[in-house]
Amino acid sequence: EAFYIRDEESGYFWSPTLLPCGGNAPHIARHGFGYSVFEHTEDGIHSELWVYVAIDASIKFAVIRLRNESARPRRLSVTGYVEWVLGDLRPKSMMYVTTAIEANTGVVFARNPYSAEFAERVAFFGVNEASHTISGDRAEFLGRNGTLSNPAAMRRAHLSGRVGAGLDPCAAIRVPFDLAEGQEREITFTLGTARNVDEARGL
Protein backbone atom coordinates (compact mmCIF):
# COMPACT_ATOMS: atom_id res chain seq x y z
CA GLU A 1 0.00 0.00 0.00
CA ALA A 2 1.13 3.54 -0.70
CA PHE A 3 -0.40 6.99 -0.98
CA TYR A 4 0.90 10.01 -2.86
CA ILE A 5 0.08 13.73 -2.94
CA ARG A 6 1.14 15.66 -6.04
CA ASP A 7 1.23 19.30 -7.05
CA GLU A 8 -0.24 19.12 -10.55
CA GLU A 9 1.48 22.32 -11.67
CA SER A 10 5.06 21.57 -10.61
CA GLY A 11 4.90 17.76 -10.68
CA TYR A 12 6.43 17.55 -7.19
CA PHE A 13 5.02 14.62 -5.19
CA TRP A 14 5.37 13.13 -1.73
CA SER A 15 3.70 10.68 0.65
CA PRO A 16 1.58 11.55 3.69
CA THR A 17 3.64 8.89 5.53
CA LEU A 18 7.41 8.61 5.92
CA LEU A 19 7.53 5.83 3.32
CA PRO A 20 7.73 5.46 0.41
CA CYS A 21 8.65 9.13 -0.29
CA GLY A 22 8.10 11.23 2.79
CA GLY A 23 9.39 14.56 1.52
CA ASN A 24 11.60 16.96 3.45
CA ALA A 25 9.61 17.89 6.58
CA PRO A 26 9.11 15.86 9.80
CA HIS A 27 6.26 13.35 10.21
CA ILE A 28 4.09 12.69 13.25
CA ALA A 29 2.46 9.27 13.84
CA ARG A 30 -0.22 8.82 16.52
CA HIS A 31 -1.95 5.57 17.44
CA GLY A 32 -5.20 5.13 19.35
CA PHE A 33 -7.68 2.34 20.04
CA GLY A 34 -8.44 1.03 16.56
CA TYR A 35 -6.88 3.82 14.48
CA SER A 36 -3.62 5.45 13.44
CA VAL A 37 -3.03 9.03 12.26
CA PHE A 38 -0.08 10.27 10.21
CA GLU A 39 0.45 14.05 10.04
CA HIS A 40 2.76 15.93 7.72
CA THR A 41 3.16 19.33 6.09
CA GLU A 42 4.97 19.55 2.76
CA ASP A 43 5.11 22.31 0.14
CA GLY A 44 2.43 24.33 1.97
CA ILE A 45 -0.03 21.39 2.15
CA HIS A 46 -0.92 19.92 5.55
CA SER A 47 -2.09 16.30 5.46
CA GLU A 48 -3.61 13.89 7.95
CA LEU A 49 -3.96 10.23 6.99
CA TRP A 50 -6.40 8.36 9.25
CA VAL A 51 -6.32 4.55 8.96
CA TYR A 52 -8.87 2.23 10.59
CA VAL A 53 -11.07 -0.79 9.87
CA ALA A 54 -14.82 -1.34 10.09
CA ILE A 55 -16.04 -3.29 13.11
CA ASP A 56 -18.77 -5.11 11.18
CA ALA A 57 -17.28 -5.65 7.70
CA SER A 58 -14.02 -6.57 5.95
CA ILE A 59 -13.17 -2.98 4.96
CA LYS A 60 -10.13 -0.84 5.71
CA PHE A 61 -10.46 2.93 5.45
CA ALA A 62 -7.69 5.38 4.59
CA VAL A 63 -9.02 8.93 5.00
CA ILE A 64 -6.74 11.69 3.73
CA ARG A 65 -7.49 15.23 4.93
CA LEU A 66 -5.65 18.03 3.16
CA ARG A 67 -5.47 21.72 4.02
CA ASN A 68 -3.92 24.37 1.78
CA GLU A 69 -1.64 26.45 4.02
CA SER A 70 0.16 28.10 1.13
CA ALA A 71 -0.74 31.62 0.08
CA ARG A 72 -2.20 30.66 -3.29
CA PRO A 73 -4.73 28.31 -4.89
CA ARG A 74 -3.38 24.85 -5.66
CA ARG A 75 -4.13 22.14 -8.19
CA LEU A 76 -3.40 18.79 -6.50
CA SER A 77 -4.01 15.07 -6.82
CA VAL A 78 -4.05 12.17 -4.39
CA THR A 79 -3.13 8.66 -5.57
CA GLY A 80 -3.84 5.45 -3.67
CA TYR A 81 -1.99 2.27 -4.60
CA VAL A 82 -2.25 -1.39 -3.52
CA GLU A 83 -0.59 -4.59 -4.77
CA TRP A 84 -2.85 -7.64 -4.89
CA VAL A 85 -1.76 -11.00 -3.48
CA LEU A 86 -5.06 -12.96 -3.16
CA GLY A 87 -3.15 -16.08 -2.14
CA ASP A 88 -0.31 -17.05 0.15
CA LEU A 89 2.60 -15.62 -1.88
CA ARG A 90 2.45 -12.90 -4.52
CA PRO A 91 4.91 -14.60 -6.96
CA LYS A 92 2.67 -17.70 -6.96
CA SER A 93 -0.69 -15.95 -7.32
CA MET A 94 0.00 -12.85 -9.44
CA MET A 95 -0.38 -14.60 -12.80
CA TYR A 96 -3.93 -15.68 -11.89
CA VAL A 97 -5.27 -12.41 -10.49
CA THR A 98 -7.64 -10.52 -12.79
CA THR A 99 -8.86 -6.96 -12.28
CA ALA A 100 -11.89 -5.07 -13.55
CA ILE A 101 -13.53 -1.68 -13.08
CA GLU A 102 -17.03 -1.92 -11.61
CA ALA A 103 -19.22 0.05 -14.00
CA ASN A 104 -21.54 1.80 -11.52
CA THR A 105 -19.00 2.89 -8.92
CA GLY A 106 -15.59 2.98 -10.62
CA VAL A 107 -14.23 0.65 -7.93
CA VAL A 108 -11.43 -1.77 -8.90
CA PHE A 109 -12.42 -5.41 -8.36
CA ALA A 110 -9.80 -8.17 -8.15
CA ARG A 111 -10.28 -11.94 -8.19
CA ASN A 112 -8.17 -15.08 -8.23
CA PRO A 113 -10.44 -17.69 -9.87
CA TYR A 114 -7.73 -20.35 -9.50
CA SER A 115 -7.68 -20.14 -5.71
CA ALA A 116 -8.81 -23.50 -4.38
CA GLU A 117 -10.74 -22.15 -1.40
CA PHE A 118 -11.55 -18.54 -2.33
CA ALA A 119 -12.28 -18.59 -6.07
CA GLU A 120 -15.56 -16.68 -5.63
CA ARG A 121 -14.18 -14.01 -3.31
CA VAL A 122 -13.76 -10.47 -4.60
CA ALA A 123 -11.31 -7.88 -3.30
CA PHE A 124 -11.93 -4.21 -4.02
CA PHE A 125 -10.25 -0.81 -3.86
CA GLY A 126 -12.22 2.36 -4.30
CA VAL A 127 -12.49 6.05 -3.52
CA ASN A 128 -15.41 8.33 -2.66
CA GLU A 129 -14.73 10.71 -5.55
CA ALA A 130 -16.47 10.41 -8.92
CA SER A 131 -13.65 12.10 -10.86
CA HIS A 132 -10.65 9.78 -10.90
CA THR A 133 -8.40 7.67 -13.14
CA ILE A 134 -7.35 4.06 -12.57
CA SER A 135 -4.66 1.53 -13.40
CA GLY A 136 -4.52 -2.20 -12.66
CA ASP A 137 -1.03 -2.69 -14.12
CA ARG A 138 1.81 -2.67 -11.57
CA ALA A 139 4.51 -2.72 -14.26
CA GLU A 140 3.00 0.36 -15.84
CA PHE A 141 2.60 2.15 -12.51
CA LEU A 142 6.15 1.54 -11.30
CA GLY A 143 7.83 1.67 -14.72
CA ARG A 144 10.98 -0.10 -15.78
CA ASN A 145 13.26 -0.51 -12.75
CA GLY A 146 10.82 1.74 -10.89
CA THR A 147 10.19 1.72 -7.16
CA LEU A 148 7.41 2.87 -4.87
CA SER A 149 9.57 5.84 -3.88
CA ASN A 150 9.73 7.04 -7.50
CA PRO A 151 7.06 5.35 -9.64
CA ALA A 152 6.75 6.22 -13.32
CA ALA A 153 3.02 6.91 -12.93
CA MET A 154 3.76 9.95 -10.76
CA ARG A 155 5.37 11.59 -13.81
CA ARG A 156 2.25 11.09 -15.96
CA ALA A 157 -0.79 13.34 -16.10
CA HIS A 158 -3.28 10.54 -15.44
CA LEU A 159 -3.57 6.76 -15.09
CA SER A 160 -4.28 4.67 -18.19
CA GLY A 161 -7.39 2.74 -17.13
CA ARG A 162 -5.68 -0.54 -18.01
CA VAL A 163 -7.15 -3.55 -16.16
CA GLY A 164 -7.79 -7.22 -16.93
CA ALA A 165 -5.99 -10.55 -16.99
CA GLY A 166 -2.34 -11.20 -17.75
CA LEU A 167 -1.06 -8.10 -15.97
CA ASP A 168 1.22 -7.72 -12.97
CA PRO A 169 -1.82 -6.86 -10.83
CA CYS A 170 -2.32 -3.78 -8.69
CA ALA A 171 -4.95 -1.14 -8.11
CA ALA A 172 -4.06 2.54 -8.41
CA ILE A 173 -6.58 5.37 -8.21
CA ARG A 174 -5.77 9.05 -8.75
CA VAL A 175 -8.11 11.89 -7.73
CA PRO A 176 -7.35 15.41 -9.08
CA PHE A 177 -8.86 18.50 -7.44
CA ASP A 178 -8.43 22.21 -6.77
CA LEU A 179 -7.78 23.54 -3.29
CA ALA A 180 -8.21 27.26 -2.60
CA GLU A 181 -6.05 29.08 -0.06
CA GLY A 182 -7.07 27.87 3.43
CA GLN A 183 -9.50 25.29 2.01
CA GLU A 184 -9.70 21.69 3.28
CA ARG A 185 -10.58 18.50 1.42
CA GLU A 186 -11.21 14.94 2.63
CA ILE A 187 -10.77 11.89 0.39
CA THR A 188 -11.62 8.36 1.53
CA PHE A 189 -10.11 5.19 0.06
CA THR A 190 -11.64 1.81 0.88
CA LEU A 191 -9.90 -1.56 0.65
CA GLY A 192 -11.89 -4.69 1.33
CA THR A 193 -13.02 -8.18 0.46
CA ALA A 194 -16.36 -9.92 0.01
CA ARG A 195 -17.70 -13.42 -0.58
CA ASN A 196 -18.90 -12.58 -4.11
CA VAL A 197 -19.50 -9.74 -6.55
CA ASP A 198 -22.95 -8.86 -5.20
CA GLU A 199 -21.69 -8.55 -1.64
CA ALA A 200 -18.72 -6.49 -2.84
CA ARG A 201 -21.12 -4.07 -4.58
CA GLY A 202 -23.16 -3.79 -1.39
CA LEU A 203 -20.13 -3.05 0.74
Side-chain angles (χ1 to χ4, degrees):
E1 272 180 88
F3 294 95
Y4 303 90
I5 301 164
R6 184 173 72 176
D7 184 306
E8 294 296 287
E9 295 173 339
S10 69
Y12 178 60
F13 65 90
W14 65 95
S15 296
T17 51
L18 187 59
L19 294 175
C21 52
N24 300 311
H27 290 257
I28 298 172
R30 293 185 285 117
H31 307 286
F33 290 102
Y35 70 92
S36 293
V37 185
F38 305 90
E39 292 187 60
H40 182 61
T41 300
E42 186 80 16
D43 197 28
I45 303 297
H46 179 76
S47 64
E48 290 184 7
L49 169 60
W50 292 70
V51 181
Y52 53 91
V53 296
I55 295 173
D56 56 351
S58 298
I59 303 177
K60 177 181 180 180
F61 296 91
V63 181
I64 299 178
R65 297 174 180 166
L66 300 176
R67 183 171 64 251
N68 182 0
E69 296 181 345
S70 62
R72 59 188 175 86
R74 302 292 288 275
R75 177 70 174 163
L76 304 170
S77 70
V78 169
T79 301
Y81 171 85
V82 296
E83 294 181 358
W84 300 118
V85 178
L86 306 187
D88 54 353
L89 296 170
R90 180 176 165 79
K92 287 168 54 179
S93 64
M94 59 183 277
M95 67 186 72
Y96 305 116
V97 174
T98 61
T99 54
I101 301 173
E102 212 280 317
N104 295 330
T105 60
V107 171
V108 180
F109 281 1
R111 296 180 58 190
N112 180 357
Y114 291 92
S115 171
E117 297 179 25
F118 305 108
E120 296 300 313
R121 291 197 75 89
V122 177
F124 57 88
F125 188 55
V127 71
N128 67 331
E129 298 284 336
S131 176
H132 61 265
T133 58
I134 286 173
S135 175
D137 187 349
R138 177 177 176 268
E140 176 188 73
F141 186 87
L142 294 180
R144 183 170 181 161
N145 301 319
T147 63
L148 285 177
S149 63
N150 189 24
M154 297 310 296
R155 295 186 295 276
R156 298 191 187 109
H158 53 79
L159 302 177
S160 68
R162 192 170 179 213
V163 294
L167 303 175
D168 185 353
C170 77
I173 302 177
R174 176 173 297 154
V175 179
F177 55 93
D178 293 307
L179 205 60
E181 181 183 350
Q183 186 181 7
E184 296 186 3
R185 181 76 174 254
E186 183 175 287
I187 296 169
T188 303
F189 291 90
T190 51
L191 174 66
T193 182
R195 287 172 293 186
N196 52 51
V197 170
D198 289 339
E199 184 180 80
R201 288 187 179 125
L203 290 173

